Structure formats: C-alpha cells, structure tokens
Amino acid sequence: MEALTSRVLDERQPASLKWLSYSQKIPNSKAKSMLEEFVTKYKSDSSVNLHVLYLIAGKLAGSEKAETPSHHIRLVDSTSLETVQKSMDIITSKHVYSVQISGSTNPRLDLWNADFQNIRNLALHDNSGGGEFFRNRYGMVSYPNAEIDPITRKGNPGPSNIG
C-alpha cells in the first residue's frame, strides 16, 4: 500500500491496476483489492481529491432482445458510475481501474501516458527481457510458454501442443 500511496499522493502520478500488479509483483486480484482499499481510505478525506476510474462490464438493459446480445466493457468516472450501472441489466464485473489526484484537464490521457511508460519500463527491466509482462505473469489468464525473441524483443507464442 505504501508504493500506491506514494505514487498517487506524493508523486501525483496515476496508478492503474496493471501498474500496481507489475510494480509490486502481485496478482491482479490483490491489486484490485489494494485499489479498492485505497479509494475507501481516501475518498472521505477532504484534503485528498481523487479521480477514480472504474471498469464496469455487463449486458445493457434490453440487449437480450437484440438479435445478438452484447457484453459491454466500459471505463467510467466515479461521477458517472451510478448512471452506467442503472443502464445495465446484468453487471458481470465492477472494480477500481485507476486512481489519481483530480485536477488534470485530461485524466484519461494522463493515465494512458503514465501506464504506457511504466509498463514499458517494467517490461524492459524485469530481468526476463519483458517475458513476465508478455506472459501476463500476474494476470488471471497467463501463458507460461510464451517466449521473447532476444534480438527483436518481439513475442513468440512458444511451443504449441495443439494438433
């Protein structure tokens, strides 16, 4: 939790689920819990003005009647969360995706830039040539046989046992 607090409150940088998982080498599920804990702890603190982005997934109201029902995944500001929740018949997932200090003119761009730079740095300096990042090491779905070409630094799916 110390790294998350330092990044958001001291460095005033966005912290995403992906960044937290890779920088702390923890599973995504643990990173989700830490982000939720952080938001719960600081949302009532008047000296901290957080911008929280949620990932919400589910079926839109009335989509079952459509020819091909669809599953929607959206990134939503905390101010729009309740409205989006009401627009869905079924919510399959909802969690904090990122936190940052409010005040930016374009918080989503700030998040993208910070996330891109941090993940790039983590992937290039993880002592596996980006392998842990490429294999989705800390995600719920991973592919341990994935390989990184040491010369091109591009991914290769590795050996396959699919016949």
Side-chain angles (χ1 to χ4, degrees):
M1 186 66 93
E2 189 177 313
L4 177 58
T5 303
S6 174
R7 178 164 180 82
V8 176
L9 301 182
D10 299 336
E11 299 170 25
R12 302 183 68 81
Q13 292 290 316
S16 69
L17 175 65
K18 189 185 297 185
W19 169 81
L20 185 58
S21 179
Y22 277 90
S23 68
Q24 302 305 299
K25 298 186 182 313
I26 57 175
N28 282 343
S29 55
K30 175 69 174 163
K32 283 180 191 179
S33 297
M34 288 176 69
L35 285 168
E36 292 283 350
E37 231 177 276
F38 182 86
V39 169
T40 300
K41 181 177 180 178
Y42 289 102
K43 74 179 175 185
S44 60
D45 186 337
S46 61
S47 66
V48 177
N49 192 7
L50 287 182
H51 179 264
V52 182
L53 198 59
Y54 289 86
L55 182 141
I56 186 165
K59 303 228 182 226
L60 291 179
S63 67
E64 289 78 32
K65 298 172 188 162
E67 202 170 298
T68 52
S70 58
H71 192 87
H72 290 258
I73 301 170
R74 297 187 56 192
L75 294 179
V76 180
D77 296 308
S78 55
T79 56
S80 304
L81 183 62
E82 189 175 330
T83 303
V84 172
Q85 283 180 223
K86 287 179 181 176
S87 74
M88 294 185 165
D89 280 337
I90 299 170
I91 295 173
T92 56
S93 182
K94 181 186 92 171
H95 61 82
V96 174
Y97 181 81
S98 69
V99 293
Q100 66 190 83
I101 296 295
S102 294
S104 170
T105 56
N106 194 340
R108 290 178 189 226
L109 180 61
D110 294 344
L111 172 63
W112 185 89
N113 284 326
D115 207 34
F116 177 80
Q117 289 300 323
N118 287 315
I119 297 304
R120 183 176 159 267
N121 289 337
L122 289 167
L124 293 174
H125 301 102
D126 72 357
N127 297 325
S128 71
E132 287 192 357
F133 178 73
F134 183 70
R135 290 181 194 93
N136 196 23
R137 167 79 165 79
Y138 302 104
M140 295 300 289
V141 177
S142 64
Y143 186 60
N145 294 329
E147 299 171 352
I148 300 289
D149 184 306
I151 296 169
T152 65
R153 299 189 67 76
K154 290 186 178 178
N156 173 340
S160 173
N161 56 4
I162 299 173

